[in-house]
Amino acid sequence: MNPLEHLLRAGHAEPGQALFEDADRSLSAAELMEDAAALAAALRDRGVGRGDRVGIALGRGLDAARAVYGVLGAGACYVPLDPSSPPARLRHIARAAGCRLLLGRGGTPGWAQGLDWLDPAAASTTAPAAPPVAVRPEDIAAILYTSGSTGTPKGVAIPHRAVRAFADWGRDTFGLDSGDRIASLAPLHFDLSLFDLFTGPAAGATTCFVPERLKLAPARLVDWLAGQRITTWYTVPSLLGFLALKGGLAQRDLGALKCILFAGEVFPTARLMTLAEQLPHTRLYNLFGPTETNVCLYWPVRRERLRADRAIPVGVPACGAELRIDPASGELQVRGPCLMAGYWRDGAPRPVFDEAGWFATGDRVSRNDRGEYLFHGRLDRMLKSAGYRIEPAEIEQVLNAMPGVSGAVVLGLEDAVSGTRLAAAVAGDGLGQAALRAWAAERLPAWMRPAYYVLLDSLPVLPNGKTDHQRLRRCIEEELAACPTT
Amino acid sequence: MQEEIRAFIFSELLFVDDPAGFGDEDDLLDAGLDSMGIMRLVLFVEERFGISLPDDELEPDNLRTLGRLQRWIERHR
């Protein structure tokens, strides 16, 4: 069944129920159906059909929600293209996904030259309205491009089966219904947005888009949450930590806020305790899983078990996931309905599972005596910053491509206030900080750009010829300590 | 104080080609200062100068330029 039909047929949403809201407009279930069906007809008119990919270059909001359901209504899959990313990256992703058409505002931007571009507001069609195209559970609903360890962005292909499993699990686990109001702040290309876009409608709840500027004004954001009577919010620990410190939470009436879910990075326990104290009546949940599995573990926060010097568990299986731990490496392996179909390459999802269907996450875990899973870090070099996942190899590939660079290594530096920050050690001739920054800014989104650069004549190597990461880390820390910062 | 804040911003939070040429009324947010940067900046100012900046006033208009930030801090010294 198509997600569009599912909306009303499942009986969760009444036709008049508001499913999406922004500052001054709302979109009812019936209006969403109608708008999405019109866009789907316009897409079909342009040759888009089942199995095709359609890029969505729109920021969070009602138009993006219409576009997502319109693309799915046509039987196609959507590919978020974050409008704030550098043009070169957007072009790369649109081409790698093989997008048949791109949806965005206004005329075709420079990076999309040669690709079909459609402004949904200007879309008109002579095609007769038709019912949503039937999709199968294994058809792809979305391809989310995330940082790739091979040096280029990697497309995680998420089938309808996984979207459905996550939407239904969220609705049932958090007890959501048509009385709930969900705050949405996650950009479309970030997997947290799947909750806002699909779990909300599956529960017949209202997803409310947070005005972008409130991210920079914590007390106003808290006022907004209170004024909108938000009941449920899925966001990242770094932003919640900001609110706990500077949001004036204790002075506001957040009695409506039943539930906060967080994921994307480790929540420092001391900061979580500050948040928990200020929100005594809000249930808190730690959600866990890479984009490839979406949420495969969760832990309902038990306040009495929080200790400032102990990391919180990632908890118990979620979304019907089966989990096991590789005895040799301690690696978490996952299979089940929430799993991706594979990485998108050359027109199809390429599975990366073993013969029994297990996906190796690269996360190191163990279980405590209560049977809960604990997270101990990565087996590879992947980093997390402000909820985003970052593969150092992708940044290194960009820096290595710069003329004059003979080698580059990117490391994460831990920072008690804002989590991981990126440092790049770059070797080569005639390099300058400003030129390196400018080079990175043209090719990488803001969250992947190194904060610090250390210039070296050559990278230190181990006797076996490999780069000596430990020595490099000491080099970087010494050089930054010597910087006249304050 | 102005110079210390400037040094902190341009060595820890924001990287521009020519920090010395960044004017007191140039826009820090347009230059890339984000929410985590703002949090670090406010915590730095509070700790370094022993002041408390009210949560209610933490908004872009009070810190989108070095000049505005300076005036905001002055009101609470």
Side-chain angles (χ1 to χ4, degrees), chain A residues 67-145:
Chain A
V68 164
Y69 277 92
V71 169
L72 296 177
C77 104
Y78 75 94
V79 182
L81 296 163
D82 177 18
S84 69
S85 266
R89 184 181 175 87
L90 294 175
R91 185 168 182 82
H92 173 86
I93 292 174
R95 286 176 165 262
C99 290
R100 188 171 185 119
L101 185 97
L102 307 178
L103 295 172
R105 271 191 200 96
T108 314
W111 61 266
Q113 292 302 325
L115 299 164
D116 272 336
W117 179 271
L118 175 66
D119 182 344
S124 61
T125 180
T126 50
V133 171
V135 293
R136 300 225 170 93
E138 292 307 315
D139 283 359
I140 305 301
I143 306 177
L144 304 186
Y145 275 83

Side-chain angles (χ1 to χ4, degrees), chain A residues 400-455:
Chain A
N400 276 321
M402 182 170 161
V405 171
S406 60
V409 171
V410 172
L411 298 172
L413 302 181
E414 289 309 316
D415 174 318
V417 178
S418 51
T420 305
R421 318 192 78 209
L422 302 172
V426 186
D429 278 330
L431 301 173
Q433 293 258 353
L436 280 163
R437 289 187 192 288
W439 179 269
E442 279 170 28
R443 292 163 178 83
L444 297 168
W447 42 275
M448 285 182 70
R449 293 176 207 153
Y452 307 106
Y453 286 86
V454 172
L455 304 181

Side-chain angles (χ1 to χ4, degrees), chain A residues 177-463:
Chain A
D177 61 30
S178 60
D180 280 296
R181 294 174 61 77
I182 297 168
S184 172
L185 193 54
L188 228 51
H189 63 103
F190 196 3
D191 54 9
L192 270 64
S193 68
L194 295 173
F195 182 85
D196 309 335
L197 288 170
F198 300 107
T199 309
T206 307
T207 293
C208 308
F209 294 106
V210 183
E212 190 68 25
R213 64 196 150 74
L214 295 185
K215 271 202 294 203
L216 302 180
R220 304 236 157 172
L221 175 50
V222 171
D223 280 341
W224 184 89
L225 293 168
Q228 291 286 320
R229 301 200 56 76
I230 294 299
T231 67
T232 307
W233 188 23
Y234 184 19
T235 188
V236 291
S238 46
L239 185 59
L240 291 171
F242 195 15
L243 295 194
L245 279 181
K246 303 301 292 175
L249 283 169
Q251 288 88 51
R252 266 86 178 171
D253 175 17
L254 285 165
L257 190 58
K258 291 193 307 195
C259 217
I260 289 181
L261 326 175
F262 55 86
E265 63 199 325
V266 173
F267 204 146
T269 309
R271 194 63 58 77
L272 172 60
M273 289 166 77
T274 309
L275 181 76
E277 271 167 38
Q278 298 179 71
L279 293 172
H281 306 298
T282 304
R283 286 177 282 139
L284 305 170
Y285 293 88
N286 183 22
L287 273 47
F288 182 86
T291 305
E292 288 88 338
T293 69
N294 202 345
V295 177
C296 62
L297 280 160
Y298 80 118
W299 189 63
V301 173
R302 299 262 306 273
R303 289 157 197 258
E304 72 282 8
R305 286 178 51 196
L306 298 179
R307 302 282 178 274
D309 57 350
R310 303 234 333 242
I312 59 172
V314 290
V316 297
C319 272
E322 280 181 86
L323 307 177
R324 70 177 189 190
I325 302 176
D326 176 62
S329 62
E331 183 177 37
L332 174 68
Q333 303 188 339
V334 183
R335 68 179 182 188
C338 54
L339 210 57
M340 67 168 178
Y343 297 117
W344 191 267
R345 207 173 59 243
D346 301 331
R350 309 293 168 177
V352 287
F353 317 118
D354 73 8
E355 58 286 351
W358 292 95
F359 172 71
T361 60
D363 292 318
R364 230 156 32 82
V365 298
S366 66
R367 296 178 78 173
N368 62 17
D369 49 17
R370 298 169 190 264
E372 296 160 345
Y373 285 78
L374 306 172
F375 172 63
H376 302 295
R378 293 285 303 174
L379 286 160
D380 56 19
R381 300 174 58 211
M382 187 195 289
L383 302 171
K384 285 305 209 52
S385 177
Y388 287 105
R389 89 188 213 188
I390 296 162
E391 291 287 0
E394 191 177 343
I395 304 166
E396 289 161 2
Q397 177 156 313
V398 164
L399 297 176
N400 276 321
M402 182 170 161
V405 171
S406 60
V409 171
V410 172
L411 298 172
L413 302 181
E414 289 309 316
D415 174 318
V417 178
S418 51
T420 305
R421 318 192 78 209
L422 302 172
V426 186
D429 278 330
L431 301 173
Q433 293 258 353
L436 280 163
R437 289 187 192 288
W439 179 269
E442 279 170 28
R443 292 163 178 83
L444 297 168
W447 42 275
M448 285 182 70
R449 293 176 207 153
Y452 307 106
Y453 286 86
V454 172
L455 304 181
L456 304 167
D457 291 332
S458 61
L459 298 175
V461 291
L462 293 162

